[in-house]
Amino acid sequence: MIPYGRQDIQDSDIAAVLKVLQSDFLTQGPAVPKFEQSVAQHSGARHAVAVNSATSALHIALMALGVGAGDVVWTSPNTFVASSNAALYCGAGVDFVDIDPLTYNMSVTALAEKLALANQKGQLPKVLIPVHLTGQPCDMAAIYDLSQRYGVKVVEDASHAIGGRYHDQPIGNCAYSDITVFSFHPVKIVTTAEGGMALTNDDSLAEKMALYRSHGITRDPALMTHASDGPWYYQQIALGYNYRMTDLQAALGVSQMQRLDDYIKRRHDIAARYNRELSDLPLTLPAQAGYGHSAYHLYVIRLDLDAIAPLTHAQVFQSLRDRGILVNLHYIPVHIQPYYQAMGFRWGDYPQAESYYKNAISIPMYPSMSDEAQTQVIQALHEILEK
Ligand SMILES: *Cc1c(COP(=O)(O)O)cnc(C)c1O
């Protein structure tokens, strides 16, 4: 079996986790701040708040930005449902901006048009969540310009993109956003089993997110309503959640971060070989915008359905799976999920995301994939598509 993505766990990772298991703290110990520092340093952001998933990170990010009932958040329809569900958790509404047909990221043209129209109607969104699909950054400078013009906040969903770069700056430095979110799920670039992080350069947003991560409780006298009753004292000053990351997870993260640069390099080597050896097939290979260096979380091919007829998308997908190549599809557009259709979204609302859905396949891409496994994937695609 060749999965589409897989974690890389080495002896040093196992030793790091064992060390925590034998220590005084399984959670709320020293490993979490150490992991936060490591990711903040690598990304160039001032603050990092570790949580138990990227979904939680998106939720506390929107809470910290004050998103609530009556507000609207815009994201890409071609994303995991968590990007838009975060707005619903806050009691806000959701809307989508169609994708660019080349990069599959939020289209800047579509965004500019939609913002101009929303502005005329007095219905501007409170927050934009651009998603760096496959690890390739969105055109953040252009998105940031628009957000400044209309007074909209920006949260980057960089769940796919730790280790990637935008104009030679690390994704996560928040140069063009208020907050950036990473995921550490095992299929992503760096893993903590489950885990996420929210990065920001804004002191007050960082303070709020730290509060919402742990019940809204503080031990900081500066945040309390009156002087402390004694050394045991804490106050709940907001309604938060238990979204904390454990020290076991954080220690795994610290250990994994040491290999982040190697991971990105290996992912680029795998992509370069796919680019060479799939180039003569009836496929669209992933286009790379000049402004970015992708983290290559995913390698997405799009089938030329006219050229391969009567072979269908589903048949090619199934043939690969039948050969033990566990391809996947990222993503079913969020607006066609039944839960979202019940909110009034319809087929036809976002044609580019829908056309992507009809012919895209994510083929295996992970740093520990062997050259032989990649040969198998390439040969299978030749056999299936050259029939
Ligand atoms: C994986 C993913 C998430 C959610 O991450 P979790 O850590 O599993 O909560 C959110 N957005 C995108 C784009 C993702 O790929």
Side-chain angles (χ1 to χ4, degrees):
M1 296 288 205
I2 307 174
Y4 81 87
R6 191 182 198 284
Q7 70 276 12
D8 167 57
I9 299 295
Q10 301 199 359
D11 289 348
S12 53
D13 297 327
I14 295 166
V17 174
L18 276 181
K19 210 169 141 193
V20 174
L21 270 174
Q22 291 160 338
S23 77
D24 292 334
F25 298 99
L26 301 188
T27 191
Q28 296 179 285
V32 169
K34 200 171 158 196
F35 183 40
E36 289 172 336
Q37 204 178 5
S38 159
V39 175
Q41 218 157 49
H42 195 281
S43 323
R46 284 179 44 155
H47 304 284
V49 180
V51 285
N52 58 0
S53 72
T55 304
S56 304
L58 287 163
H59 186 193
I60 59 170
L62 295 185
M63 285 175 77
L65 290 169
V67 172
D71 294 326
V72 181
V73 173
W74 291 3
T75 187
S76 168
N78 188 9
T79 186
F80 186 53
V81 292
S83 315
S84 55
N85 285 347
L88 305 182
Y89 297 156
C90 296
V94 174
D95 205 352
F96 302 94
V97 180
D98 207 357
I99 60 171
D100 178 286
L102 287 178
T103 63
Y104 317 145
N105 279 329
M106 181 182 279
S107 157
V108 172
T109 323
L111 176 63
E113 283 168 9
K114 197 170 169 110
L115 281 169
L117 204 66
N119 189 38
Q120 279 170 17
K121 293 189 193 159
Q123 294 173 349
L124 283 169
K126 180 138 183 167
V127 178
L128 291 174
I129 308 182
V131 180
H132 304 316
L133 195 82
T134 75
Q136 168 160 235
C138 297
D139 190 356
M140 287 312 301
I143 290 173
Y144 179 75
D145 270 359
L146 287 166
S147 76
Q148 291 293 101
R149 187 179 322 159
Y150 292 104
V152 181
K153 304 287 184 189
V154 179
V155 174
E156 295 172 69
D157 184 343
S159 292
H160 296 184
I162 192 170
R165 300 175 81 79
Y166 176 71
H167 283 308
D168 229 36
Q169 297 287 318
I171 293 173
N173 72 353
C174 300
Y176 301 103
S177 63
D178 297 281
I179 297 169
T180 300
V181 167
F182 291 136
S183 171
F184 307 118
H185 183 276
V187 295
K188 309 286 166 74
I189 309 267
V190 159
T191 193
T192 61
E194 295 280 1
M197 205 175 280
L199 293 95
T200 185
N201 293 321
D202 184 301
D203 299 352
S204 135
L205 289 176
E207 193 173 86
K208 284 181 181 153
M209 291 193 292
L211 207 57
Y212 294 139
R213 149 175 81 178
S214 196
H215 308 283
I217 282 173
T218 185
R219 290 178 188 276
D220 179 356
L223 298 178
M224 292 184 187
T225 54
H226 57 77
S228 163
D229 291 353
W232 63 85
Y233 198 61
Y234 60 82
Q235 277 190 348
Q236 184 189 344
I237 57 171
L239 183 62
Y241 296 82
N242 180 351
Y243 280 169
R244 292 186 305 264
M245 175 180 275
T246 67
D247 272 42
L248 298 171
Q249 293 169 302
L252 177 55
V254 170
S255 179
Q256 293 254 312
M257 281 301 288
Q258 293 169 21
R259 299 196 299 278
L260 175 56
D261 294 340
D262 299 338
Y263 286 158
I264 302 299
K265 186 171 180 311
R266 174 69 184 139
R267 286 174 178 275
H268 272 263
D269 290 345
I270 292 168
R273 183 168 171 216
Y274 276 143
N275 288 344
R276 282 193 306 273
E277 298 185 25
L278 299 177
S279 64
D280 53 349
L281 292 177
L283 296 174
T284 303
L285 302 180
Q288 298 298 299
Y291 49 70
H293 185 72
S294 180
Y296 265 119
H297 164 52
L298 299 173
Y299 189 95
V300 174
I301 58 172
R302 294 183 67 181
L303 307 176
D304 181 344
L305 293 174
D306 290 335
I308 65 171
L311 205 54
T312 66
H313 183 218
Q315 285 168 341
V316 173
F317 195 99
Q318 190 60 51
S319 299
L320 287 160
R321 286 232 172 144
D322 289 346
R323 288 161 206 247
I325 300 169
L326 302 184
V327 290
N328 217 317
L329 206 174
H330 303 90
Y331 289 95
I332 304 163
V334 177
H335 72 283
I336 63 176
Q337 293 291 352
Y339 191 81
Y340 283 81
Q341 297 260 296
M343 291 166 53
F345 294 102
R346 292 288 171 261
W347 272 103
D349 286 348
Y350 307 100
Q352 293 298 343
E354 293 166 18
S355 103
Y356 170 98
Y357 175 56
K358 288 179 181 151
N359 63 10
I361 301 179
S362 304
I363 64 174
M365 163 61 90
Y366 50 96
S368 60
M369 178 161 64
S370 67
D371 291 342
E372 296 71 39
Q374 195 179 8
T375 303
Q376 265 186 62
V377 176
I378 292 165
Q379 277 176 356
L381 280 164
H382 278 269
E383 275 168 33
I384 295 164
L385 297 173
E386 279 169 350
K387 271 223 182 100

PDB file of all heavy atoms in Angstrom, residues 4-18:
ATOM      1  N   TYR A   4      -1.387   8.391   0.346  1.00  0.00           N
ATOM      2  CA  TYR A   4      -1.141   9.692  -0.316  1.00  0.00           C
ATOM      3  C   TYR A   4      -0.253  10.566   0.547  1.00  0.00           C
ATOM      4  O   TYR A   4       0.432  11.461   0.055  1.00  0.00           O
ATOM      5  CB  TYR A   4      -2.455  10.410  -0.653  1.00  0.00           C
ATOM      6  CG  TYR A   4      -3.087  11.162   0.496  1.00  0.00           C
ATOM      7  CD1 TYR A   4      -2.736  12.485   0.770  1.00  0.00           C
ATOM      8  CD2 TYR A   4      -4.012  10.539   1.319  1.00  0.00           C
ATOM      9  CE1 TYR A   4      -3.296  13.172   1.836  1.00  0.00           C
ATOM     10  CE2 TYR A   4      -4.573  11.218   2.383  1.00  0.00           C
ATOM     11  CZ  TYR A   4      -4.212  12.534   2.643  1.00  0.00           C
ATOM     12  OH  TYR A   4      -4.763  13.214   3.704  1.00  0.00           O
ATOM     13  N   GLY A   5      -0.258  10.294   1.860  1.00  0.00           N
ATOM     14  CA  GLY A   5       0.583  11.070   2.781  1.00  0.00           C
ATOM     15  C   GLY A   5       0.853  10.225   3.999  1.00  0.00           C
ATOM     16  O   GLY A   5       0.054   9.342   4.330  1.00  0.00           O
ATOM     17  N   ARG A   6       2.004  10.441   4.645  1.00  0.00           N
ATOM     18  CA  ARG A   6       2.311   9.618   5.806  1.00  0.00           C
ATOM     19  C   ARG A   6       3.305  10.344   6.697  1.00  0.00           C
ATOM     20  O   ARG A   6       4.207  11.030   6.195  1.00  0.00           O
ATOM     21  CB  ARG A   6       2.942   8.293   5.356  1.00  0.00           C
ATOM     22  CG  ARG A   6       3.058   7.275   6.457  1.00  0.00           C
ATOM     23  CD  ARG A   6       3.740   5.990   5.999  1.00  0.00           C
ATOM     24  NE  ARG A   6       3.454   4.892   6.927  1.00  0.00           N
ATOM     25  CZ  ARG A   6       4.029   4.757   8.108  1.00  0.00           C
ATOM     26  NH1 ARG A   6       4.934   5.620   8.510  1.00  0.00           N
ATOM     27  NH2 ARG A   6       3.695   3.750   8.904  1.00  0.00           N
ATOM     28  N   GLN A   7       3.157  10.147   8.009  1.00  0.00           N
ATOM     29  CA  GLN A   7       4.104  10.738   8.957  1.00  0.00           C
ATOM     30  C   GLN A   7       5.461  10.069   8.850  1.00  0.00           C
ATOM     31  O   GLN A   7       5.567   8.930   8.402  1.00  0.00           O
ATOM     32  CB  GLN A   7       3.558  10.607  10.387  1.00  0.00           C
ATOM     33  CG  GLN A   7       3.526   9.194  10.952  1.00  0.00           C
ATOM     34  CD  GLN A   7       2.296   8.386  10.549  1.00  0.00           C
ATOM     35  OE1 GLN A   7       1.549   8.776   9.664  1.00  0.00           O
ATOM     36  NE2 GLN A   7       2.099   7.259  11.201  1.00  0.00           N
ATOM     37  N   ASP A   8       6.499  10.772   9.299  1.00  0.00           N
ATOM     38  CA  ASP A   8       7.855  10.220   9.365  1.00  0.00           C
ATOM     39  C   ASP A   8       8.258  10.234  10.834  1.00  0.00           C
ATOM     40  O   ASP A   8       8.456  11.301  11.417  1.00  0.00           O
ATOM     41  CB  ASP A   8       8.803  11.098   8.533  1.00  0.00           C
ATOM     42  CG  ASP A   8      10.261  10.764   8.806  1.00  0.00           C
ATOM     43  OD1 ASP A   8      10.641   9.586   8.627  1.00  0.00           O
ATOM     44  OD2 ASP A   8      11.019  11.667   9.218  1.00  0.00           O
ATOM     45  N   ILE A   9       8.328   9.057  11.462  1.00  0.00           N
ATOM     46  CA  ILE A   9       8.695   8.963  12.882  1.00  0.00           C
ATOM     47  C   ILE A   9      10.031   8.242  13.000  1.00  0.00           C
ATOM     48  O   ILE A   9      10.176   7.118  12.522  1.00  0.00           O
ATOM     49  CB  ILE A   9       7.613   8.205  13.692  1.00  0.00           C
ATOM     50  CG1 ILE A   9       6.267   8.940  13.624  1.00  0.00           C
ATOM     51  CG2 ILE A   9       8.053   8.024  15.156  1.00  0.00           C
ATOM     52  CD1 ILE A   9       6.238  10.311  14.261  1.00  0.00           C
ATOM     53  N   GLN A  10      11.005   8.903  13.630  1.00  0.00           N
ATOM     54  CA  GLN A  10      12.332   8.316  13.784  1.00  0.00           C
ATOM     55  C   GLN A  10      12.639   8.065  15.264  1.00  0.00           C
ATOM     56  O   GLN A  10      11.902   8.513  16.142  1.00  0.00           O
ATOM     57  CB  GLN A  10      13.358   9.236  13.136  1.00  0.00           C
ATOM     58  CG  GLN A  10      13.018   9.431  11.654  1.00  0.00           C
ATOM     59  CD  GLN A  10      14.169   9.930  10.824  1.00  0.00           C
ATOM     60  OE1 GLN A  10      15.265  10.169  11.317  1.00  0.00           O
ATOM     61  NE2 GLN A  10      13.911  10.109   9.544  1.00  0.00           N
ATOM     62  N   ASP A  11      13.735   7.358  15.523  1.00  0.00           N
ATOM     63  CA  ASP A  11      14.098   7.008  16.908  1.00  0.00           C
ATOM     64  C   ASP A  11      14.206   8.245  17.797  1.00  0.00           C
ATOM     65  O   ASP A  11      13.839   8.210  18.973  1.00  0.00           O
ATOM     66  CB  ASP A  11      15.430   6.246  16.933  1.00  0.00           C
ATOM     67  CG  ASP A  11      15.275   4.836  16.366  1.00  0.00           C
ATOM     68  OD1 ASP A  11      14.111   4.395  16.183  1.00  0.00           O
ATOM     69  OD2 ASP A  11      16.299   4.178  16.099  1.00  0.00           O
ATOM     70  N   SER A  12      14.721   9.337  17.229  1.00  0.00           N
ATOM     71  CA  SER A  12      14.867  10.563  18.033  1.00  0.00           C
ATOM     72  C   SER A  12      13.507  11.101  18.479  1.00  0.00           C
ATOM     73  O   SER A  12      13.370  11.637  19.584  1.00  0.00           O
ATOM     74  CB  SER A  12      15.624  11.625  17.234  1.00  0.00           C
ATOM     75  OG  SER A  12      14.997  11.818  15.975  1.00  0.00           O
ATOM     76  N   ASP A  13      12.477  10.933  17.643  1.00  0.00           N
ATOM     77  CA  ASP A  13      11.111  11.352  18.018  1.00  0.00           C
ATOM     78  C   ASP A  13      10.616  10.508  19.189  1.00  0.00           C
ATOM     79  O   ASP A  13      10.031  11.022  20.146  1.00  0.00           O
ATOM     80  CB  ASP A  13      10.141  11.154  16.846  1.00  0.00           C
ATOM     81  CG  ASP A  13      10.489  12.001  15.633  1.00  0.00           C
ATOM     82  OD1 ASP A  13      11.000  13.111  15.812  1.00  0.00           O
ATOM     83  OD2 ASP A  13      10.241  11.532  14.502  1.00  0.00           O
ATOM     84  N   ILE A  14      10.841   9.187  19.076  1.00  0.00           N
ATOM     85  CA  ILE A  14      10.358   8.262  20.107  1.00  0.00           C
ATOM     86  C   ILE A  14      11.062   8.558  21.432  1.00  0.00           C
ATOM     87  O   ILE A  14      10.425   8.630  22.491  1.00  0.00           O
ATOM     88  CB  ILE A  14      10.577   6.806  19.652  1.00  0.00           C
ATOM     89  CG1 ILE A  14       9.697   6.525  18.416  1.00  0.00           C
ATOM     90  CG2 ILE A  14      10.286   5.809  20.770  1.00  0.00           C
ATOM     91  CD1 ILE A  14      10.037   5.263  17.651  1.00  0.00           C
ATOM     92  N   ALA A  15      12.371   8.809  21.367  1.00  0.00           N
ATOM     93  CA  ALA A  15      13.135   9.125  22.587  1.00  0.00           C
ATOM     94  C   ALA A  15      12.613  10.412  23.224  1.00  0.00           C
ATOM     95  O   ALA A  15      12.487  10.504  24.458  1.00  0.00           O
ATOM     96  CB  ALA A  15      14.622   9.258  22.245  1.00  0.00           C
ATOM     97  N   ALA A  16      12.279  11.391  22.409  1.00  0.00           N
ATOM     98  CA  ALA A  16      11.798  12.683  22.937  1.00  0.00           C
ATOM     99  C   ALA A  16      10.470  12.502  23.675  1.00  0.00           C
ATOM    100  O   ALA A  16      10.252  13.095  24.736  1.00  0.00           O
ATOM    101  CB  ALA A  16      11.646  13.686  21.799  1.00  0.00           C
ATOM    102  N   VAL A  17       9.587  11.658  23.109  1.00  0.00           N
ATOM    103  CA  VAL A  17       8.282  11.437  23.746  1.00  0.00           C
ATOM    104  C   VAL A  17       8.444  10.609  25.024  1.00  0.00           C
ATOM    105  O   VAL A  17       7.816  10.905  26.054  1.00  0.00           O
ATOM    106  CB  VAL A  17       7.305  10.759  22.761  1.00  0.00           C
ATOM    107  CG1 VAL A  17       5.998  10.397  23.452  1.00  0.00           C
ATOM    108  CG2 VAL A  17       7.043  11.667  21.565  1.00  0.00           C
ATOM    109  N   LEU A  18       9.328   9.597  24.988  1.00  0.00           N
ATOM    110  CA  LEU A  18       9.581   8.766  26.181  1.00  0.00           C
ATOM    111  C   LEU A  18      10.089   9.616  27.336  1.00  0.00           C
ATOM    112  O   LEU A  18       9.687   9.438  28.484  1.00  0.00           O
ATOM    113  CB  LEU A  18      10.623   7.683  25.864  1.00  0.00           C
ATOM    114  CG  LEU A  18      10.083   6.419  25.219  1.00  0.00           C
ATOM    115  CD1 LEU A  18      11.209   5.428  24.984  1.00  0.00           C
ATOM    116  CD2 LEU A  18       8.992   5.795  26.095  1.00  0.00           C
TER     117      LEU A  18
END
